[in-house]
Amino acid sequence: MIRIQQLKLSITEGEENLKKKLAKKLRIGIEEIGEPIIVKKSIDARKKPELYIVYTVDVNIKNEEKILKRCRDRDVFSVRPVSYQFPYSAPENCDDSPVIIGMGPAGLFCGYMLAKHGFKPILFERGKPVEERTKDVEKFWKEGKLCLSSNVQFGEGGAGTFSDGKLNTLIKDKTGKNKEVLKIFVENGAPEQILYDSKPHIGTDILVKTVQNMRTRMLQWGSKIHYESCVTDFIIEDGKVIGLTINDKEQIKTNTVILAIGHSARDTFETLYKRKVPMEPKAFAV
């Protein structure tokens, strides 16, 4: 497969002209080019009022080596598209369900991938389902009444759900993980253009529905989700977790716990510290 960067179309040109640009760049006929796959799309507004759409595209072409040799353009090169591969699926009759604490982005995608591959995870979220959480957030913004467990920080979808659906993308995605995240969003209702927009953006309204659709699939795959269920203690013996306490009263047994608690669960970090679970600070940029 050949990748071509820096293909510019004026803002008035349609994408149907993309093949013409490709043919000219590669010095071949249009009929020799397969359907272009848009990898990246951005706007170049440096020469206002002239605006351009800049594309990076992949195309399948016969005699690839011959064309590359003839073209000799640094913006034209051979690529092998990388797709993310989950390490392994659950063994048959697997009855050891992993427990995930938190249902923000980390917990949501962890649960989604485990459920998709047969592990049937159990998720505990101290907040409410995203549709109920939305009402609590709106009430806070309008009336200033804060629900301590269901707000912008806590609840299904995590804090990012109410940051207008901006998506973080990796500059170098060597394993295909980032692309897989975007694909999952699209499979669950997000617009397809987030797969190639240079700064993908969904918007809170769409993201809320996307999170709901992801939850529905997880439940169909055998996951169990418990809302308004805060993990208040960890039962540890001989340095290994054997169970959890939920809401200071209910205890469950488990030997596999995945922490996806985000940065706001200060009480959980304090509990982990008291239980002598090793922690270390991580550098971050502001």
Side-chain angles (χ1 to χ4, degrees), residues 148-196:
L148 292 177
S149 61
S150 179
N151 47 56
V152 171
Q153 292 178 310
F154 296 130
E156 184 180 37
T161 310
F162 296 96
S163 64
D164 204 27
K166 291 183 284 292
L167 306 177
N168 232 358
T169 52
L170 304 175
I171 296 172
K172 294 180 181 178
D173 189 17
K174 294 180 180 179
T175 62
K177 287 181 181 178
N178 188 72
K179 196 74 172 181
E180 185 68 18
V181 167
L182 298 178
K183 284 180 180 177
I184 290 171
F185 276 134
V186 172
E187 288 169 5
N188 288 281
E192 192 174 350
Q193 59 261 34
I194 67 169
L195 295 173
Y196 49 77

Side-chain angles (χ1 to χ4, degrees), residues 70-87:
R70 186 176 65 205
C71 190
R72 293 189 178 183
D73 187 321
R74 67 178 185 178
D75 289 326
V76 180
F77 49 91
S78 180
V79 292
R80 283 187 179 180
V82 177
S83 60
Y84 175 69
Q85 300 296 320
F86 198 73

